[in-house]
Amino acid sequence: MVCKIEMCDCNVIHQEIVEAVKEQIPEDNRISVIAEFYKIFSDSTKLKILWALDISEMCVCDLAVLVNVTKSAISHQLKILKEANLVKFRKEGKNVYYSLSDNCVKEIIEKGVIHTLNKM
Amino acid sequence: MVCKIEMCDCNVIHQEIVEAVKEQIPEDNRISVIAEFYKIFSDSTKLKILWALDISEMCVCDLAVLVNVTKSAISHQLKILKEANLVKFRKEGKNVYYSLSDNCVKEIIEKGVIHTLNKM
DNA sequence: ATTATAGTTGAATGCGTATTCAATTGTCAA
DNA sequence: TTGACAATTGAATACGCATTCAACTATAAT
C-alpha cells in the first residue's frame, strides 16, 4: 500500500489511522496560527518584556535597561507584541509607556511555567 | 541619572521602577527555560505531531505521511520532543510507535488556542 | 532656533534551527 | 544470508529572525 502523496519517501503503515487523524486534526492554517502565537513566548526578550509589563507599566528606555539590549531591539519586539495585541501604549511627552493589553498573558504562560519550573 | 550598565545606549528614566521590576521578575535562567519550552509549540511540525499523538498512537512513517515531510524530519523532531519528555515510544518489530508521555499537552496549548482561534 | 533625548525604522549581520540527503542500524521475511 | 523496509543519525543547506547600527522623527527645554 504505497503512499499516495508524491513527496513522501515512505509507505503508509496504517492508512486507517492516518485518515482518522487527518479528519480530527485542525487544518494547517489553524496549526500555523497557533504556532505563530507561541513563537512570541519562545523568545526570552519578549517573555521578559511581557513579564515586566505584567508587574508595571514601563517606557522603552526602562525596558532596554532591564532586558539589557538596545532601545532599538526593544522597539522592534514591542512592535511584534503590539501586532499580536498583547501590549498597548500611551504617549506622554517624549516617552511612550507600554502595558499589557489584557491580563490573560500571565494565565497563558502559567501552564508552561508550571510544566518547566517543576524540573529545575 | 545615566545608565550604569555599560552596553546600554540610553538613560534610565525611572530608576525605581526598573529596580522594583528587577526584583520581582524571574531570573534569566528561568525565563530562558520557559522560553525554551514554548519554542516547542512554536513550530508547526512539532505542534502537528503532538496534536496527532493526542488523537492516536502513531509510527514514524504514519506521521511523515500526515505531516507531509520526510521520515528523517519527523525523527529529528521526535528526538526533541523526547528530550522534552513530551512523548514516549514503544518498539514493535520494525516499527516504533510514539504517543504522548502525559495528557497535559492539550491543556498546555489550550490557552493559546483559545486566544488565537477567537481571532480567525 | 537650537540642542538634547525618547522612540521608531530599515538595512545589514549573524545565529539558530528545520529540512533534506545519504549513510547506517535494526528487524523481519524469504 | 540476503533483500526489503522502518527508523535513526550526521552533515550540508537554507531560511527565519533577533540584534545592532545608523539615520530619522518627535517632543521638550533653554
Side-chain angles (χ1 to χ4, degrees):
Chain A
M1 199 185 317
V2 177
C3 171
K4 292 164 186 167
I5 301 164
E6 287 76 10
M7 79 152 293
C8 171
D9 67 338
C10 61
N11 302 338
V12 175
I13 308 296
H14 309 90
Q15 186 92 39
E16 345 74 51
I17 291 181
V18 175
E19 302 285 347
V21 170
K22 245 182 189 139
E23 280 178 17
Q24 295 182 56
I25 212 167
E27 47 181 326
D28 288 2
N29 300 339
R30 296 199 164 210
I31 295 273
S32 296
V33 171
I34 297 167
E36 202 71 30
F37 179 74
Y38 278 109
K39 195 176 292 171
I40 291 170
F41 300 96
S42 73
D43 176 59
S44 289
T45 301
K46 294 198 200 75
L47 204 49
K48 208 165 181 181
I49 291 173
L50 290 172
W51 211 303
L53 296 183
D54 185 65
I55 297 171
S56 170
E57 173 187 70
M58 292 180 85
C59 67
V60 177
C61 216
D62 289 343
L63 284 168
V65 174
L66 179 75
V67 181
N68 204 31
V69 293
T70 62
K71 280 184 297 183
S72 178
I74 296 289
S75 192
H76 281 297
Q77 300 293 3
L78 282 170
K79 191 180 182 185
I80 296 171
L81 295 176
K82 258 188 290 180
E83 285 166 0
N85 293 314
L86 291 172
V87 301
K88 61 179 191 286
F89 64 95
R90 67 181 179 87
K91 297 186 181 183
E92 186 180 315
K94 283 186 292 183
N95 297 327
V96 180
Y97 295 93
Y98 283 86
S99 55
L100 295 188
S101 60
D102 54 37
N103 47 11
C104 75
V105 174
K106 205 63 166 287
E107 274 181 53
I108 292 168
I109 61 177
E110 204 170 76
K111 283 284 182 189
V113 174
I114 292 168
H115 196 274
T116 53
L117 294 191
N118 285 345
K119 293 163 186 167
M120 295 184 73
Chain B
M1 202 184 321
V2 176
C3 172
K4 293 164 186 167
I5 301 165
E6 288 75 9
M7 80 153 292
C8 171
D9 67 338
C10 61
N11 302 339
V12 176
I13 307 298
H14 309 91
Q15 186 91 39
E16 347 73 51
I17 291 180
V18 174
E19 303 284 347
V21 171
K22 244 180 190 143
E23 281 178 17
Q24 296 181 58
I25 212 168
E27 47 182 327
D28 288 2
N29 300 339
R30 297 199 163 211
I31 296 273
S32 295
V33 171
I34 298 166
E36 203 71 29
F37 179 73
Y38 278 109
K39 194 177 294 172
I40 292 170
F41 299 97
S42 73
D43 175 60
S44 289
T45 301
K46 294 198 198 76
L47 204 51
K48 208 165 181 180
I49 291 173
L50 290 173
W51 212 302
L53 296 183
D54 186 65
I55 298 170
S56 170
E57 173 187 67
M58 292 180 85
C59 68
V60 178
C61 215
D62 288 344
L63 285 168
V65 174
L66 179 75
V67 181
N68 204 31
V69 293
T70 61
K71 280 185 297 181
S72 178
I74 296 289
S75 193
H76 280 298
Q77 300 294 4
L78 282 171
K79 191 181 182 185
I80 296 171
L81 296 176
K82 259 188 288 181
E83 286 165 0
N85 293 313
L86 291 172
V87 301
K88 62 179 192 286
F89 63 95
R90 68 180 177 88
K91 297 186 180 183
E92 187 180 315
K94 283 186 292 183
N95 297 329
V96 180
Y97 294 94
Y98 283 86
S99 56
L100 295 189
S101 60
D102 54 36
N103 47 12
C104 75
V105 175
K106 204 62 167 288
E107 275 181 52
I108 292 168
I109 62 178
E110 203 169 78
K111 283 285 181 186
V113 174
I114 292 168
H115 196 273
T116 53
L117 293 190
N118 284 345
K119 293 163 185 167
M120 294 183 73

